[in-house]
Amino acid sequence: MQKAIIIGAAGRDFHNFNTFFRDNQDYKVVAFTAAQIPDIDGRKYPAELAGSLYPEGIPIFAEDDLEKLIIEKEADVCVFSYSDVPYNRVMNLSARVNAAGASFMLLGPNDTQIKSNKPVIAVCATRTGCGKSQTSRRVIELLMEQGLKVVAIRHPMPYGDLVKQKVQRFASVDDLAFHKCTIEEMEEYEPHVVRGNVIYAGVDYQAIIDAAENDPDGCDVILWDGGNNDFSFYKPDLLITVADPHRVNHELSYYPGEVNLRMADIIVINKMDSAAPEDINQLRANIAAANPGATVIDGASPIKVDDISAIKGKRVLVIEDGPTLTHGEMKIGAGTVAANKFGAKEIIDPRDYAVGKLAETYRIYPNIGTLLPAMGYGDEQVKDLQATIDNVPCDSVIIGTPIDLNRVVEINKPNTRVYYDLQEIGQPTMTEAIKEFVNVHNLKLSKV
C-alpha cells in the first residue's frame, strides 16, 4: 500500500479522492494540502465523506508544509490536484516532491470523470476569466429554446461545512442564503437560478449527478459549468472550451487548460471585440496546431450598464471578479472595459485604501493593479471589502462582477452594474452546434 498526499485547493482534490482513492486499498491518503484559496487549511476532510477506509477523516494542511509532511507521513506519492497553474509552478512542485523523496502524480480524465446517463455538455476554459459563465448561459438558453430541461452542475467551491455541502441544489436566490454562499459562489450560481434553471454543486459529484439526473423539476441535459481552467468531472458528450486572446499562449502553458484545448469539440475565441488582431491570429494558429479538428466559434462579450452617467467624466472605483484578477492574472475585466468605453475621467487606485484581508490579497497578488477584486470567501473578507470601498475617494463605483454587490455589501456611493453576454460573430454559431447536439442525441421536448 502506498501512502499518498493530495495537493489541492478545496475542489479537484476532493473529487480526485472520491473517484480514485476513496475505496482504493492500494493507497492510503494521509493528508491533503491547501493553497490558492484563503483559510481552507487547518480542517479535515470528514469521515462522513471519506468512506469506510478513513474513519477518522483526513487532515488538511497548508501547502507550504509539503516537504515536512512528506517526511513525517512517509508519503510515497503526491497527487497534484488543482487548476489554473503555470507549467513552471507545476514542475516546481514536482521538484519539491521529488527532492523530499516522493513520486509526483497527475490524474487524468479516465480515472476521474464520471459517466452520466443523461447527455452532458461541458463548458471549460484555458484560463480563469475566459468567459465560461456567459458561454454556459448561452448554451442553456439555446437548449431551453428547444423546450429541454437543463440542469447545471458547477465545479466545486466547498469552503464551508463539507458534510452539509455534500450535495447542494439551487433553484432560487433564497437558496443562496440558505446554503450560506460566499460572494464567489453567488457569482456562479445566481446567474443560473435567475434564468430559471436549477444548478447543483457540492463535494461528492457522484451523489450530485445522481440527484441532478432525477431532479424534481426534470432533467434532459446536464450542463457542466467548469471552474478555473479545470477539465470536466463528468465525461462530456460535447466539450466546449473557451479561450482568451487577451492572454494568448497561456492556452499552451497553464495546467490543465491545454488539456481542455486539446480535447475540445468546440473552441470559442471570446472577447474578440476588445482584443488585438495579432493576438487573435496567434490564438488561431495555436488552436490549429493543438486541435485542428475542433470547430472554432468567434465570439465577443459586449457590455451594457445600468447608468452611463455614473461613469462619464467620473473618478471611478472599478470592482472586478476576484479569482479572475488573482490567480487568473487578468489586468482588465468588464468594469474596466465599461470605464474606458463610457468615458470615466480616472480609475482610482484602491491599493492604498485596502484593509485587512483585501490588503493581504494585494500583497499575495501584487500585479492586480488599480482594480478592486471582489473577494468574499468569508465574513471577514466581506467586511474588509466593505471597508475598502468606503475608504476609496471616488465619485462612483463600477460593479463588474456577475452579481449585484449591493446585496452583499452596502455601497454608499453612486454605482452602476456592468452586464455581459456571449455574442457569436459570423459562422459557425453556437445555435448550429446545439441544434446538432439535440438531433444527435434525439432529445425531445419535455413534457409540461
Side-chain angles (χ1 to χ4, degrees):
M1 176 186 292
Q2 288 199 314
K3 294 180 180 179
I5 293 173
I6 301 179
I7 304 170
R12 163 63 68 175
D13 47 354
F14 299 153
H15 181 71
N16 280 354
F17 171 80
N18 292 338
T19 53
F20 186 81
F21 290 103
R22 181 161 54 191
D23 300 314
N24 189 338
Q25 299 196 28
D26 292 332
Y27 293 90
K28 179 181 180 181
V29 175
V30 294
F32 288 91
T33 64
Q36 207 171 56
I37 308 299
D39 304 322
I40 56 170
D41 57 325
R43 49 181 190 162
K44 275 191 173 185
Y45 192 66
E48 295 93 326
L49 300 176
S52 60
L53 299 179
Y54 300 90
E56 304 299 321
I58 305 167
I60 304 172
F61 300 92
E63 187 183 285
D64 291 343
D65 298 329
L66 182 57
E67 290 90 341
K68 179 182 175 183
L69 285 170
I70 291 170
I71 295 168
E72 288 183 353
K73 302 289 186 181
E74 299 180 335
D76 301 294
V77 61
C78 292
V79 187
F80 185 77
S81 301
Y82 61 95
S83 54
D84 209 33
V85 186
Y87 285 161
N88 61 348
R89 172 150 175 75
V90 177
M91 294 316 297
N92 170 260
L93 275 166
S94 175
R96 289 173 59 191
V97 168
N98 289 164
S103 296
F104 189 75
M105 178 188 288
L106 295 169
L107 289 170
N110 288 348
D111 283 320
T112 59
Q113 285 187 336
I114 298 168
K115 184 72 174 74
S116 174
N117 61 33
K118 300 287 185 179
V120 174
I121 298 176
V123 178
C124 299
T126 57
R127 289 297 315 275
T128 296
C130 283
K132 296 184 301 295
S133 296
Q134 57 263 49
T135 303
S136 293
R137 294 197 300 268
R138 177 65 175 151
V139 170
I140 289 170
E141 288 166 0
L142 291 170
L143 290 166
M144 292 174 73
E145 286 175 7
Q146 299 284 318
L148 299 169
K149 295 283 190 180
V150 184
V151 175
I153 301 179
R154 183 60 171 73
H155 187 279
M157 293 185 283
Y159 310 137
D161 186 319
L162 299 180
V163 175
K164 290 181 179 178
Q165 290 182 286
K166 178 180 178 180
V167 178
Q168 297 175 297
R169 180 181 187 269
F170 302 91
S172 71
V173 173
D174 290 341
D175 291 330
L176 304 176
F178 175 79
H179 288 288
K180 300 179 181 179
C181 289
T182 64
I183 288 176
E184 286 70 22
E185 290 169 302
M186 286 188 280
E187 287 179 344
E188 302 301 337
Y189 306 153
E190 182 176 315
H192 287 281
V193 299
V194 298
R195 278 172 165 74
N197 66 282
V198 172
I199 182 166
Y200 283 80
V203 181
D204 189 328
Y205 277 76
Q206 181 63 65
I208 288 168
I209 194 68
D210 292 342
E213 290 168 348
N214 297 284
D215 187 80
D217 289 345
C219 175
D220 298 312
V221 181
I222 298 290
L223 187 287
W224 171 257
D225 189 357
N228 281 3
N229 65 346
D230 206 350
F231 55 84
S232 175
F233 287 12
Y234 300 113
K235 184 173 178 59
D237 298 288
L238 178 68
L239 172 57
I240 301 169
T241 296
V242 187
D244 186 353
H246 286 281
R247 290 170 288 179
V248 68
N249 297 321
H250 286 204
E251 65 278 355
L252 300 177
S253 58
Y254 276 72
Y255 179 82
E258 187 177 352
V259 177
N260 291 324
L261 185 79
R262 291 181 176 276
M263 292 197 307
D265 302 299
I266 295 171
I267 298 172
V268 177
I269 301 178
N270 193 21
K271 308 180 188 176
M272 291 180 64
D273 51 334
S274 57
E278 59 269 24
D279 292 334
I280 295 170
N281 290 337
Q282 183 61 57
L283 179 54
R284 288 196 195 282
N286 292 346
I287 292 169
N291 188 350
T295 297
V296 178
I297 294 177
D298 291 350
S301 292
I303 63 168
K304 59 182 180 180
V305 300
D306 286 328
D307 183 6
I308 294 175
S309 68
I311 301 175
K312 189 172 180 62
K314 300 294 195 299
R315 300 169 68 250
V316 298
L317 169 65
V318 177
I319 305 176
E320 304 279 20
D321 172 65
T324 298
L325 298 185
T326 55
H327 56 79
E329 301 172 309
M330 276 291 286
K331 305 300 183 187
I332 65 170
T336 314
V337 174
N340 293 329
K341 180 176 182 179
F342 298 115
K345 180 180 180 180
E346 180 184 359
I347 295 176
I348 303 298
D349 188 340
R351 286 174 288 189
D352 289 342
Y353 308 97
V355 301
K357 291 286 187 179
L358 266 295
E360 182 181 338
T361 298
Y362 283 115
R363 286 194 294 272
I364 296 171
Y365 300 98
N367 295 321
I368 289 174
T370 60
L371 305 173
L372 180 61
M375 304 297 286
Y377 288 105
D379 292 341
E380 187 177 357
Q381 274 196 333
V382 173
K383 180 180 177 181
D384 291 338
L385 177 62
Q386 170 84 67
T388 300
I389 295 170
D390 290 342
N391 289 345
V392 176
C394 62
D395 300 322
S396 59
V397 177
I398 300 176
I399 302 171
T401 61
I403 63 167
D404 186 358
L405 279 181
N406 284 289
R407 290 200 303 101
V408 184
V409 298
E410 188 175 346
I411 302 177
N412 297 310
K413 298 171 182 177
N415 61 84
T416 187
R417 282 189 68 189
V418 182
Y419 306 87
Y420 45 90
D421 290 297
L422 179 69
Q423 180 183 87
E424 297 113 283
I425 301 171
Q427 289 183 306
T429 67
M430 194 66 73
T431 301
E432 295 164 348
I434 296 306
K435 284 183 177 179
E436 181 181 355
F437 176 85
V438 169
N439 290 334
V440 165
H441 292 276
N442 196 29
L443 297 171
K444 304 297 184 183
L445 181 70
S446 290
K447 294 180 181 179
V448 178

